[in-house]
Amino acid sequence: MVQQSERQATTTWRERLKLFFTLYDSRFEDLEKHNWKTTLYRDFSAGLIVAMTAIPMAMGFAMAMGLRPEQGIIAGALACIIGRTFGGSKYQVYGPTAAFIPLIASLIAKYTAITGSAEQAHGFLVVVSIIAGVVLMIMGISGLGKYAKLVPNSIVVGFTVGIAIAIALTNFEDILGIETVADTIGQDEDIKGGFLHNISAALHHLNFINIWSVVIGLSTFFLTRYLLKVSIFIPAPLISIAAATLASATLLKDKGIILIRDIYGTIPNNFFVFTPPIMPEFSATLVVDIVYFVTAIVFVSGVESLLCSSMADKLANNKRTPFNADKEFWGQGLVQIITPLLNGFPCTGALARTATSIKAGAVTPFAGYFKGVLKLVLAFYVAPYLEIVPMACIGGILLWVASNMIKPAEIKEVKAAGRFELAMLVYTAAMVPLTDFLTGVLSALIIYFVAIKLFPSLKQESTIKPTVVAD
């Protein structure tokens, strides 16, 4: 029985491979003859709620990465369908996540400058994502899923805080309304850059702040937070953006608020566009970059997805077959290979959307299928209206995402584990935005395990559980 093989430790790569190609497995065990109508209704409702929530978030993530808004829509839909087909979790919702923003943004910015084309930069992203996908699939076949759980909790939480800081401070120019200042004043400088560059550039253009953009951005932020406090079932980001867009198109029509179409033009609804891999001119720097970005994509995909799967089982109070870590690696690999080839980018398990799906009643992977399809259908019909969304709204949504990533309870748990754990949290949280994702995390891991090896007393017994990178 497939269910039995999943509960037992699979010891050979052949057994794992057979399991990976068994698509209708124990993830669907809660769909039974006596309850199939109720179960499918619950999955459909959950998929609809998550789809409405995910559209504006996916657009915001894509634009923060230096990509087009429609690429976020297709990435989220495809990743969820592929992940739910080949992944190892019953409940997990896949899509764009905040952890990938600094990583992909740095690749797109660097290779747009090198190649002179954002399309070619995206083609290089396809290259490294495919390689990362192959690595993840090999890791799944090799049974390496269990090792992702060895990442210390303090570094996971520190990484989360660092990403949140980077997102909040590198995208606040959208709220300030100075996104296209460099172009409007005839400069060649691009105001979207790295963490320190972006802060410096924004401070130099404070005299161009549009107060109405600030109102729109902060209103989006606070309305989203308020609606979610009323009920998690409310598609708060979509409602907040709709209200702010209506205000900017009527009451604030002539206030100089920057819209999505001012930067990206028309938003097409032909989402499926084949984007082939493109290799820039060969050099030693290119090889280093390939290793760097592949390693980073594998790390984020593996750790975040497995931790999210584990948390999903807890949230759903799953009493039956738990998620399969190795199959999750396999599914993540296919997500990273297929999604970028069809105009998307790397995605992984998304905690906030997974939690929303579970609380909205999701029972089986069909909820993920409904989410992916409904997201495409909704986006297809509202595409003409997406281009009139103010950029300040996107800034407000990203600010909400960043604030949602920092959880005082998680920081307190790390603090309770000892001063060394807290120091590692602070170090990681600072290094991620000040250097880059991989430098911050890898240096933290090296320091952590070397220090534990040399000074075993630093490692105190702790009952805290690994946390998940929020999206």
PDB file of all heavy atoms in Angstrom, residues 171-188:
ATOM      1  N   ASN A 171      11.370  48.906  -0.405  1.00  0.00           N
ATOM      2  CA  ASN A 171      10.190  49.132  -1.231  1.00  0.00           C
ATOM      3  C   ASN A 171       9.353  50.324  -0.768  1.00  0.00           C
ATOM      4  O   ASN A 171       8.284  50.571  -1.320  1.00  0.00           O
ATOM      5  CB  ASN A 171       9.312  47.873  -1.240  1.00  0.00           C
ATOM      6  CG  ASN A 171       9.945  46.737  -2.012  1.00  0.00           C
ATOM      7  OD1 ASN A 171       9.944  46.715  -3.236  1.00  0.00           O
ATOM      8  ND2 ASN A 171      10.529  45.787  -1.301  1.00  0.00           N
ATOM      9  N   PHE A 172       9.857  51.068   0.208  1.00  0.00           N
ATOM     10  CA  PHE A 172       9.019  52.145   0.718  1.00  0.00           C
ATOM     11  C   PHE A 172       8.941  53.322  -0.228  1.00  0.00           C
ATOM     12  O   PHE A 172       8.102  54.212  -0.066  1.00  0.00           O
ATOM     13  CB  PHE A 172       9.492  52.605   2.108  1.00  0.00           C
ATOM     14  CG  PHE A 172      10.748  53.421   2.118  1.00  0.00           C
ATOM     15  CD1 PHE A 172      10.703  54.811   2.210  1.00  0.00           C
ATOM     16  CD2 PHE A 172      11.985  52.809   2.050  1.00  0.00           C
ATOM     17  CE1 PHE A 172      11.859  55.555   2.236  1.00  0.00           C
ATOM     18  CE2 PHE A 172      13.145  53.552   2.062  1.00  0.00           C
ATOM     19  CZ  PHE A 172      13.090  54.928   2.155  1.00  0.00           C
ATOM     20  N   GLU A 173       9.793  53.348  -1.297  1.00  0.00           N
ATOM     21  CA  GLU A 173       9.676  54.434  -2.271  1.00  0.00           C
ATOM     22  C   GLU A 173       8.356  54.349  -3.026  1.00  0.00           C
ATOM     23  O   GLU A 173       7.870  55.367  -3.547  1.00  0.00           O
ATOM     24  CB  GLU A 173      10.860  54.443  -3.250  1.00  0.00           C
ATOM     25  CG  GLU A 173      10.857  53.320  -4.278  1.00  0.00           C
ATOM     26  CD  GLU A 173      11.558  52.092  -3.747  1.00  0.00           C
ATOM     27  OE1 GLU A 173      11.780  51.995  -2.528  1.00  0.00           O
ATOM     28  OE2 GLU A 173      11.886  51.213  -4.559  1.00  0.00           O
ATOM     29  N   ASP A 174       7.762  53.145  -3.097  1.00  0.00           N
ATOM     30  CA  ASP A 174       6.433  53.031  -3.717  1.00  0.00           C
ATOM     31  C   ASP A 174       5.408  53.833  -2.923  1.00  0.00           C
ATOM     32  O   ASP A 174       4.554  54.516  -3.493  1.00  0.00           O
ATOM     33  CB  ASP A 174       5.999  51.562  -3.777  1.00  0.00           C
ATOM     34  CG  ASP A 174       6.834  50.752  -4.745  1.00  0.00           C
ATOM     35  OD1 ASP A 174       7.304  51.323  -5.741  1.00  0.00           O
ATOM     36  OD2 ASP A 174       7.034  49.552  -4.493  1.00  0.00           O
ATOM     37  N   ILE A 175       5.476  53.708  -1.611  1.00  0.00           N
ATOM     38  CA  ILE A 175       4.538  54.450  -0.762  1.00  0.00           C
ATOM     39  C   ILE A 175       4.793  55.949  -0.844  1.00  0.00           C
ATOM     40  O   ILE A 175       3.863  56.757  -0.858  1.00  0.00           O
ATOM     41  CB  ILE A 175       4.638  53.970   0.699  1.00  0.00           C
ATOM     42  CG1 ILE A 175       4.210  52.501   0.799  1.00  0.00           C
ATOM     43  CG2 ILE A 175       3.775  54.829   1.630  1.00  0.00           C
ATOM     44  CD1 ILE A 175       4.322  51.917   2.190  1.00  0.00           C
ATOM     45  N   LEU A 176       6.070  56.321  -0.922  1.00  0.00           N
ATOM     46  CA  LEU A 176       6.399  57.739  -0.979  1.00  0.00           C
ATOM     47  C   LEU A 176       6.072  58.369  -2.329  1.00  0.00           C
ATOM     48  O   LEU A 176       6.061  59.592  -2.463  1.00  0.00           O
ATOM     49  CB  LEU A 176       7.891  57.946  -0.679  1.00  0.00           C
ATOM     50  CG  LEU A 176       8.367  57.494   0.709  1.00  0.00           C
ATOM     51  CD1 LEU A 176       9.859  57.762   0.860  1.00  0.00           C
ATOM     52  CD2 LEU A 176       7.579  58.192   1.806  1.00  0.00           C
ATOM     53  N   GLY A 177       5.818  57.530  -3.336  1.00  0.00           N
ATOM     54  CA  GLY A 177       5.461  58.069  -4.645  1.00  0.00           C
ATOM     55  C   GLY A 177       6.649  58.547  -5.442  1.00  0.00           C
ATOM     56  O   GLY A 177       6.506  59.422  -6.314  1.00  0.00           O
ATOM     57  N   ILE A 178       7.847  58.014  -5.186  1.00  0.00           N
ATOM     58  CA  ILE A 178       9.048  58.464  -5.899  1.00  0.00           C
ATOM     59  C   ILE A 178       9.648  57.337  -6.723  1.00  0.00           C
ATOM     60  O   ILE A 178      10.822  57.356  -7.069  1.00  0.00           O
ATOM     61  CB  ILE A 178      10.105  59.005  -4.919  1.00  0.00           C
ATOM     62  CG1 ILE A 178      10.454  57.955  -3.851  1.00  0.00           C
ATOM     63  CG2 ILE A 178       9.607  60.258  -4.244  1.00  0.00           C
ATOM     64  CD1 ILE A 178      11.520  58.404  -2.878  1.00  0.00           C
ATOM     65  N   GLU A 179       8.818  56.356  -7.087  1.00  0.00           N
ATOM     66  CA  GLU A 179       9.278  55.180  -7.836  1.00  0.00           C
ATOM     67  C   GLU A 179       9.951  55.557  -9.148  1.00  0.00           C
ATOM     68  O   GLU A 179      10.954  54.987  -9.540  1.00  0.00           O
ATOM     69  CB  GLU A 179       8.085  54.263  -8.109  1.00  0.00           C
ATOM     70  CG  GLU A 179       8.366  53.091  -9.027  1.00  0.00           C
ATOM     71  CD  GLU A 179       9.251  52.057  -8.384  1.00  0.00           C
ATOM     72  OE1 GLU A 179       9.130  51.870  -7.175  1.00  0.00           O
ATOM     73  OE2 GLU A 179      10.071  51.457  -9.094  1.00  0.00           O
ATOM     74  N   THR A 180       9.412  56.534  -9.859  1.00  0.00           N
ATOM     75  CA  THR A 180       9.947  56.888 -11.171  1.00  0.00           C
ATOM     76  C   THR A 180      10.592  58.259 -11.179  1.00  0.00           C
ATOM     77  O   THR A 180      10.713  58.896 -12.209  1.00  0.00           O
ATOM     78  CB  THR A 180       8.824  56.868 -12.222  1.00  0.00           C
ATOM     79  OG1 THR A 180       7.775  57.740 -11.806  1.00  0.00           O
ATOM     80  CG2 THR A 180       8.270  55.471 -12.416  1.00  0.00           C
ATOM     81  N   VAL A 181      11.047  58.712 -10.021  1.00  0.00           N
ATOM     82  CA  VAL A 181      11.662  60.034  -9.932  1.00  0.00           C
ATOM     83  C   VAL A 181      12.875  60.152 -10.842  1.00  0.00           C
ATOM     84  O   VAL A 181      13.071  61.157 -11.529  1.00  0.00           O
ATOM     85  CB  VAL A 181      12.064  60.338  -8.470  1.00  0.00           C
ATOM     86  CG1 VAL A 181      13.016  61.514  -8.401  1.00  0.00           C
ATOM     87  CG2 VAL A 181      10.827  60.644  -7.652  1.00  0.00           C
ATOM     88  N   ALA A 182      13.722  59.124 -10.867  1.00  0.00           N
ATOM     89  CA  ALA A 182      14.946  59.191 -11.659  1.00  0.00           C
ATOM     90  C   ALA A 182      14.632  59.450 -13.126  1.00  0.00           C
ATOM     91  O   ALA A 182      15.320  60.210 -13.798  1.00  0.00           O
ATOM     92  CB  ALA A 182      15.734  57.899 -11.514  1.00  0.00           C
ATOM     93  N   ASP A 183      13.563  58.830 -13.636  1.00  0.00           N
ATOM     94  CA  ASP A 183      13.201  59.024 -15.024  1.00  0.00           C
ATOM     95  C   ASP A 183      12.607  60.404 -15.257  1.00  0.00           C
ATOM     96  O   ASP A 183      12.913  61.065 -16.248  1.00  0.00           O
ATOM     97  CB  ASP A 183      12.179  57.960 -15.463  1.00  0.00           C
ATOM     98  CG  ASP A 183      12.784  56.563 -15.443  1.00  0.00           C
ATOM     99  OD1 ASP A 183      13.999  56.456 -15.648  1.00  0.00           O
ATOM    100  OD2 ASP A 183      12.036  55.598 -15.229  1.00  0.00           O
ATOM    101  N   THR A 184      11.773  60.862 -14.332  1.00  0.00           N
ATOM    102  CA  THR A 184      11.075  62.119 -14.557  1.00  0.00           C
ATOM    103  C   THR A 184      11.991  63.320 -14.459  1.00  0.00           C
ATOM    104  O   THR A 184      11.707  64.369 -15.023  1.00  0.00           O
ATOM    105  CB  THR A 184       9.933  62.294 -13.536  1.00  0.00           C
ATOM    106  OG1 THR A 184      10.481  62.232 -12.211  1.00  0.00           O
ATOM    107  CG2 THR A 184       8.910  61.190 -13.675  1.00  0.00           C
ATOM    108  N   ILE A 185      13.118  63.198 -13.767  1.00  0.00           N
ATOM    109  CA  ILE A 185      14.022  64.337 -13.670  1.00  0.00           C
ATOM    110  C   ILE A 185      15.229  64.167 -14.582  1.00  0.00           C
ATOM    111  O   ILE A 185      16.201  64.902 -14.489  1.00  0.00           O
ATOM    112  CB  ILE A 185      14.498  64.562 -12.217  1.00  0.00           C
ATOM    113  CG1 ILE A 185      15.289  63.346 -11.704  1.00  0.00           C
ATOM    114  CG2 ILE A 185      13.338  64.862 -11.317  1.00  0.00           C
ATOM    115  CD1 ILE A 185      15.821  63.533 -10.290  1.00  0.00           C
ATOM    116  N   GLY A 186      15.143  63.166 -15.491  1.00  0.00           N
ATOM    117  CA  GLY A 186      16.155  63.032 -16.520  1.00  0.00           C
ATOM    118  C   GLY A 186      17.456  62.430 -16.074  1.00  0.00           C
ATOM    119  O   GLY A 186      18.498  62.636 -16.702  1.00  0.00           O
ATOM    120  N   GLN A 187      17.444  61.643 -15.009  1.00  0.00           N
ATOM    121  CA  GLN A 187      18.673  61.010 -14.555  1.00  0.00           C
ATOM    122  C   GLN A 187      18.713  59.571 -15.032  1.00  0.00           C
ATOM    123  O   GLN A 187      17.687  58.957 -15.305  1.00  0.00           O
ATOM    124  CB  GLN A 187      18.771  61.035 -13.027  1.00  0.00           C
ATOM    125  CG  GLN A 187      18.831  62.440 -12.463  1.00  0.00           C
ATOM    126  CD  GLN A 187      18.901  62.430 -10.943  1.00  0.00           C
ATOM    127  OE1 GLN A 187      18.902  61.384 -10.318  1.00  0.00           O
ATOM    128  NE2 GLN A 187      18.965  63.605 -10.367  1.00  0.00           N
ATOM    129  N   ASP A 188      19.907  59.009 -15.124  1.00  0.00           N
ATOM    130  CA  ASP A 188      20.061  57.623 -15.522  1.00  0.00           C
ATOM    131  C   ASP A 188      19.970  56.684 -14.327  1.00  0.00           C
ATOM    132  O   ASP A 188      19.853  55.482 -14.473  1.00  0.00           O
ATOM    133  CB  ASP A 188      21.423  57.400 -16.219  1.00  0.00           C
ATOM    134  CG  ASP A 188      21.491  58.155 -17.539  1.00  0.00           C
ATOM    135  OD1 ASP A 188      20.443  58.295 -18.184  1.00  0.00           O
ATOM    136  OD2 ASP A 188      22.598  58.597 -17.913  1.00  0.00           O
TER     137      ASP A 188
END
